[in-house]
Amino acid sequence: MGIIYNEKAKSFKLDAGNSSYVMQVFDNKFLSHIYYGKHVPDTDMSYLLGPISGVAPSKVPGFEVMAMDALPFEYPVPGLGDYRDACLEIQTKTGHRVCELEYDSYSIYSGKPKLDGLPATFGNEKECTTLEIVCKDPLLNLEVVLRYTVFEELNVICRSSVIKNKGSEEIYLKCALSACLDASGQDYDVLSLHGAWAKECQLTRQSVNANRVISESSRGVTSAQSSPFMALVSKEVNETCGDVYAMNFVYSGNFYASCEAGQSGSTRMVMGINPNNFTWKLEADSLFETPEVVMVYSSEGLGAMTRTFHDLYRNHLIRCPYGNQDRPILVNNWEATYFDFNETKLLELATEASKCGIEMLVLDDGWFGARSIDDRGLGDWYVNEDKIKGGLGKLTKDVNGLSMKFGLWIEPEMVNPNSDLYREHPDWAIQIPNRTGKLSRTQYVLDWSRKEVRDSVYAQIKHVLDNAHVEYIKWDMNRHLTDLGSYDLPSDRQQELSHRYVLGVYDIMNRLITDFPDLLYENCSSGGARFDAGVLYYSPQIWASDDTDAIERIRIQAGTSLCFPLSSMGSHVSAVPNHQTGRITPFETRGIVALSGTFGYELDVTKLSQEEKDLIKKQTKMFHKYNHLVRNGDLYRLSDVFHPEDYACWSVVSKDRSEALITFVQIHSRPGFFATGTNIKLQGLDPNAKYYVEQHVGGIEPIGTDSESVGDQEKRQASGLGGMESNGVQQISGAALMNGGYVIQRVPGDYTAQLLHFVRVKE
Ligand code: DGJ
């Protein structure tokens, strides 16, 4: 296991989980990719280069260019004959743009280094091993260190690079991507995630061919339009079979991912910071570190890929203490009141909510400065005492008096022109001097590449948090970057602004969680426009979408949870008709869909009927019963949840396979279904164990379920009855449930949902 160097073949083999990754120094010079896939024992697989070996520059002098466009490279550069997408592009002071990387040396060590100022996965010396390969351009005195960390228990390889200018003159980095995979063959599809506001993370699948497929953002944030995920998959791939080579970027700004079939039979996929709007001036004797790309391999389809990402992110990325803990059930006042609230209204909401089992009130936008509507106040982080008499200190005390926690919304990266902050510091906004910046939601983005701007805003936020008992922060970000210009950067560094901005965001997120380690922290960007692994490092949960419609949420949550654990996915029950779609769905369905996320409410509890309030009481109990499973279990998609037609079904199975929670949402009711039901083949159970349905919510309940207490079940199990029990609860083997399936009885009506809890019979 781990990483092996074969001295004779000059090759490296990385073993991660049950996958292997092999590279080789080709022709004594070029670091080439040879193999990625299921575990192999071999360390020398150079035979796979086949005919390419014949055109090695040293063997056929005079034909170097031919080899360049055929070789599979680990960190390709342009200008020497490789016309596919490159990882590194430079420009010298003389204006030339060629650099030639030659293999130089390597080191292997246990553990994983931190990335300076950047979020990254972490692991200790027992969990992971790191390989650093040094390549050099001797003429430029440029050194590139390629880092590969393997997680021994997971099919994961994390990559980043460090580019060092060891010369005496500056070099401009025009492109510095983090990873390249030159996969062998071309018979692939490529998966990526795209969308829009309130429609995030819609899965797209297309064929790989010579036309480059690009997924990117140049909006300053990862964006709702594209997510930094790309996967090459074999044509037959589905949830349970086929090869998957996935990349996910641990970064929260402009990104670029592409995929293309080259002319020599391989397929190149790259990922990194978007070269568009990026040039980095690398002074003599300085370095640039690229953010991390996480590569996951699965030979068992998309389901296994998802579970690998979830395990990695839960255990090796989310660093806040809440990562693995119970989270309070919250009610957020945004869709309940928008800007129209005062302390009386908030306390009424909290009082009713607490009676239903809700545990935290989150005060959203509108509590500060002159913020009565959205064209003012951003930048002025002091409480508006016209709206909240007595201030936040008093409000938090009153809310705590109801045995509820208190959470608060902030949008620290922004400023309205109509604010004290902007009036005092108009040059603190990202803008080009003498050009009027474009407004979006009547706001500008603050220039967080500048430390004094960050310090000033952070001091205000810290003051608020120091003076009120705030236990949760929702950090929002509601516009994209335009008018890229910083009043502070010299002309040859203006193109660094977007990346410096992201580093500034990370700096403040880091200060926040360092100064307030117990704070539960949720990120948000007009919904899920910054739902990425970079943010997840700081923030254990992220608001997935402003679209709270339960039916729309099926696709959004499926796309989001392709890489991200359910425990990270902000998901609330909201009022109907839904504010984004106008759709009316049953209260139960909204609760059942939200249970597959962090769970909470986003509605005015004071306006609900008694029946609905009773449902909240049931749902909050259900949350406490099942959240440990949702948070820690393995996700299995049991239907096409990315493009659901009549129904969507997924399950979460505990790691020890002792229980499984199945969610079934009926999107359309069709007549024939009532007679037959829908057969769902479960996954991930113990084939040799027996299971029974312990609780069934929202459907036609099998005898002896739901109303029964856990104590009753235990007594019944202890009696050791097998097969159909005397009290009518059927025991079914895991093998039967996975191969024969389980028939979900359909109920009349669109948008109904069912939740089935399967429990393993104790032996
Ligand atoms: C956008 C967020 O996604 C919403 O949840 C809400 O917080 C608003 N911003 C407030 O302005």
Side-chain angles (χ1 to χ4, degrees), residues 24-28 30-35 45-61 63-74 81-82 84 182-186 262-268:
Q24 188 146 33
V25 182
F26 177 71
D27 213 18
N28 239 351
F30 306 109
L31 186 65
S32 304
H33 178 76
I34 308 282
Y35 172 79
M45 296 179 81
S46 52
Y47 69 93
L48 286 175
L49 283 176
I52 299 171
S53 321
V55 292
S58 67
K59 285 194 188 152
V60 197
F63 288 86
E64 292 95 333
V65 172
M66 282 169 61
M68 290 298 139
D69 212 24
L71 259 186
F73 284 105
E74 278 298 314
D82 181 354
R84 297 159 288 180
D182 272 345
S184 92
Q186 304 192 321
Q263 64 164 338
S264 302
S266 61
T267 302
R268 174 168 293 178

Side-chain angles (χ1 to χ4, degrees), residues 222-271:
T222 31
S223 88
Q225 288 69 19
S226 294
S227 297
F229 161 81
M230 188 169 266
L232 271 184
V233 299
S234 53
K235 290 283 179 191
E236 78 279 13
V237 106
N238 61 25
E239 282 301 323
T240 53
C241 81
D243 283 317
V244 181
Y245 305 89
M247 286 187 181
N248 194 214
F249 202 20
V250 189
Y251 188 63
S252 311
N254 297 339
F255 73 89
Y256 178 86
S258 79
C259 185
E260 65 189 302
Q263 64 164 338
S264 302
S266 61
T267 302
R268 174 168 293 178
M269 176 163 65
V270 296
M271 185 174 274

Side-chain angles (χ1 to χ4, degrees), residues 227-471:
S227 297
F229 161 81
M230 188 169 266
L232 271 184
V233 299
S234 53
K235 290 283 179 191
E236 78 279 13
V237 106
N238 61 25
E239 282 301 323
T240 53
C241 81
D243 283 317
V244 181
Y245 305 89
M247 286 187 181
N248 194 214
F249 202 20
V250 189
Y251 188 63
S252 311
N254 297 339
F255 73 89
Y256 178 86
S258 79
C259 185
E260 65 189 302
Q263 64 164 338
S264 302
S266 61
T267 302
R268 174 168 293 178
M269 176 163 65
V270 296
M271 185 174 274
I273 293 177
N274 199 334
N276 181 12
N277 272 322
F278 172 86
T279 299
W280 194 271
K281 181 179 179 184
L282 201 59
E283 304 270 13
D285 215 19
S286 68
L287 58 83
F288 181 84
E289 214 164 356
T290 70
E292 177 167 275
V293 162
V294 173
M295 297 200 314
V296 167
Y297 169 72
S298 159
S299 60
E300 292 169 351
L302 286 177
M305 177 207 75
T306 287
R307 292 185 287 281
T308 302
F309 272 118
H310 289 190
D311 284 342
L312 178 78
Y313 288 168
R314 283 186 295 215
N315 301 318
H316 301 281
L317 180 69
I318 302 174
R319 56 176 215 163
C320 150
Y322 273 103
N324 232 352
Q325 276 174 26
D326 257 343
R327 322 265 173 88
I329 302 173
L330 64 84
V331 60
N332 179 304
N333 76 310
W334 179 241
E335 288 196 14
T337 66
Y338 294 101
F339 290 107
D340 186 17
F341 60 82
N342 57 23
E343 80 290 348
T344 312
K345 174 72 211 168
L346 293 171
L347 283 171
E348 279 167 17
L349 180 58
T351 307
E352 278 310 305
S354 73
K355 287 186 204 156
C356 301
I358 296 174
E359 298 154 332
M360 177 161 72
L361 172 74
V362 174
L363 173 52
D364 209 280
D365 196 352
W367 57 267
F368 50 90
R371 188 85 168 165
S372 49
I373 54 171
D374 64 6
D375 70 354
R376 63 197 66 176
L378 287 172
D380 301 337
W381 299 106
Y382 48 83
V383 70
N384 180 333
E385 294 220 20
D386 289 339
K387 281 173 116 173
I388 300 177
K389 300 220 165 29
L392 282 181
K394 176 163 184 328
L395 181 62
T396 51
K397 266 196 204 116
D398 291 345
V399 171
N400 292 162
L402 298 165
S403 301
M404 285 185 101
K405 295 173 190 275
F406 180 81
L408 195 63
W409 178 98
I410 53 173
E411 192 178 5
E413 296 155 75
M414 297 292 154
V415 67
N416 288 121
N418 186 356
S419 66
D420 294 342
L421 187 79
Y422 188 78
R423 280 183 283 273
E424 210 176 314
H425 300 286
D427 64 313
W428 280 12
I430 289 180
Q431 273 175 27
I432 295 170
N434 303 322
R435 183 182 290 283
T436 310
K438 302 288 166 297
L439 287 164
S440 179
R441 210 192 185 201
T442 339
Q443 65 199 49
Y444 292 127
V445 184
L446 285 168
D447 183 356
W448 272 22
S449 72
R450 295 170 67 176
K451 186 168 180 305
E452 74 270 36
V453 181
R454 301 198 300 272
D455 286 351
S456 160
V457 176
Y458 185 66
Q460 288 195 59
I461 304 281
K462 185 167 184 312
H463 182 78
V464 171
L465 297 181
D466 282 338
N467 289 287
H469 189 214
V470 177
E471 296 182 75

Side-chain angles (χ1 to χ4, degrees), residues 334 364-365 409 441 474 476 478 524 526-527 543 546:
W334 179 241
D364 209 280
D365 196 352
W409 178 98
R441 210 192 185 201
K474 176 179 173 187
D476 206 347
N478 284 308
C524 170
S526 304
W543 183 227
D546 276 350

Side-chain angles (χ1 to χ4, degrees), residues 474-530:
K474 176 179 173 187
W475 174 320
D476 206 347
M477 197 286 186
N478 284 308
R479 67 157 288 180
H480 297 150
L481 274 58
T482 60
D483 302 279
L484 289 176
S486 168
Y487 279 84
D488 199 41
L489 291 170
S491 60
D492 62 352
R493 288 200 181 272
Q494 285 290 336
Q495 288 286 301
E496 297 178 8
L497 178 59
S498 299
H499 182 55
R500 285 185 183 276
Y501 176 79
V502 177
L503 296 177
V505 170
Y506 291 150
D507 170 44
I508 297 301
M509 288 186 178
N510 196 43
R511 285 197 227 176
L512 193 65
I513 61 173
T514 307
D515 290 344
F516 302 96
D518 296 327
L519 202 64
L520 172 59
Y521 171 28
E522 174 153 354
N523 228 267
C524 170
S525 178
S526 304
R530 201 158 59 182

Side-chain angles (χ1 to χ4, degrees), residues 17 108 360 524 588 615 725:
I108 296 172
M360 177 161 72
C524 170
E588 293 89 337
L615 280 169
E725 287 195 359

Side-chain angles (χ1 to χ4, degrees), residues 31 68 71-80 82-89 99 101 146 159 175 177 179-182 268-270:
L31 186 65
M68 290 298 139
L71 259 186
F73 284 105
E74 278 298 314
Y75 203 66
V77 289
L80 299 166
D82 181 354
Y83 295 97
R84 297 159 288 180
D85 256 341
C87 278
L88 178 67
E89 294 187 47
C99 110
L101 292 180
L146 303 178
R159 294 177 59 176
C175 168
L177 302 188
C180 167
L181 174 67
D182 272 345
R268 174 168 293 178
M269 176 163 65
V270 296

